[in-house]
């Protein structure tokens, strides 16, 4: 026994279905959770490079001014400036590495990873719990060792 499935003619049904689809498609165009160029989140096209460059530049500037004795005596403790080296220079640059890899920028990720590791290693020299600098009894030997360390940092820049 055959019964009709719908009372609306097929053409009218398809027209209404298509109009409903067009309304849905139009509403999705302006959705804040999607990007017009991809199916990912709206923040997907943001660039992490300025964050990494700013973090590296500010940390380099602050530590250089501190080491040059611009605002403090040259013999002042490095403890204050190591917070910037640890978090702004190290942690923020390593966060930038993940964002650069996500965007497919391998060169930026490698560069920021190297700089972040440099700042983390510099900060670790002055963390008392690590006790890295206690083996140097002679200040001249320590200064030469730090010169070699900063030479390593210079090679990262070129």
């Amino acid at each position: 026994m055959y019964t009709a499935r719908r009372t609306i003619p097929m053409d009218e049904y398809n027209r209404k279905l298509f109009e409903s689809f067009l309304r849905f498609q139009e509403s999705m165009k302006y959705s804040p959770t999607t990007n017009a160029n991809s199916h990912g989140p709206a923040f997907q096209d943001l660039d992490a490079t300025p964050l990494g460059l700013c973090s590296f530049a500010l940390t380099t500037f602050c530590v250089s001014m501190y080491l040059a004795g611009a605002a403090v005596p040259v013999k002042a403790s490095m403890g204050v400036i190591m917070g910037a080296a640890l978090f702004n220079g190290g942690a923020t640059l390593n966060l930038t590495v993940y964002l650069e890899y996500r965007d497919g920028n391998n060169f930026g990720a490698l560069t920021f990873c190297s700089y972040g590791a440099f700042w983390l290693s510099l900060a670790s020299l002055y963390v008392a719990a690590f006790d890295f600098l206690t083996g140097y009894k002679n200040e001249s030997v320590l200064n030469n060792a730090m010169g070699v360390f900063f030479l390593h940092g210079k090679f990262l820049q070129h």
Side-chain angles (χ1 to χ4, degrees), residues 68-134:
V72 295
V74 176
K75 298 286 184 181
S77 170
M78 293 290 288
V80 173
I81 203 67
M82 286 304 114
L86 183 63
F87 291 101
N88 194 26
T92 304
L93 281 171
N94 284 323
L95 170 68
T96 306
V97 170
Y98 298 119
L99 299 174
E100 290 291 343
Y101 270 131
R102 180 199 67 187
D103 292 341
N105 185 0
N106 293 332
F107 179 75
L110 172 70
T111 303
F112 293 135
C113 185
S114 298
Y115 288 143
F118 170 75
W119 287 118
L120 286 173
S121 63
L122 177 65
S124 72
L125 291 177
Y126 292 96
V127 173
F130 291 142
D131 207 23
F132 288 143
L133 298 180
T134 57

Side-chain angles (χ1 to χ4, degrees), residues 63 67 78 82 85 114-126 132-133 136 141-157:
V63 172
L67 288 173
M78 293 290 288
M82 286 304 114
S114 298
Y115 288 143
F118 170 75
W119 287 118
L120 286 173
S121 63
L122 177 65
S124 72
L125 291 177
Y126 292 96
F132 288 143
L133 298 180
Y136 295 98
V141 175
L142 175 62
N143 288 338
N144 288 340
M146 291 301 289
V148 171
F149 177 81
F150 283 115
L151 185 62
H152 148 263
K154 186 66 178 166
F155 284 131
L156 287 175
Q157 296 176 3

Side-chain angles (χ1 to χ4, degrees), residues 7-83:
T7 57
I8 302 173
M10 185 71 149
D11 291 339
E12 182 68 20
Y13 176 76
N14 284 338
R15 185 184 62 76
K16 287 185 177 186
L17 190 63
F18 184 68
E19 287 174 359
S20 173
F21 172 73
L22 289 178
R23 282 192 303 274
F24 171 76
Q25 196 174 26
E26 188 68 24
S27 70
M28 290 306 292
K29 235 194 281 189
Y30 302 108
S31 175
T33 59
T34 60
N35 188 346
N37 298 326
S38 69
H39 299 292
F43 59 84
Q44 185 172 354
D45 291 334
L46 297 179
D47 189 11
T49 304
L51 173 65
L53 292 174
C54 180
S55 175
F56 176 72
L58 286 175
T59 306
T60 302
F61 177 76
C62 290
V63 172
S64 297
M65 290 294 108
Y66 198 88
L67 288 173
V72 295
V74 176
K75 298 286 184 181
S77 170
M78 293 290 288
V80 173
I81 203 67
M82 286 304 114

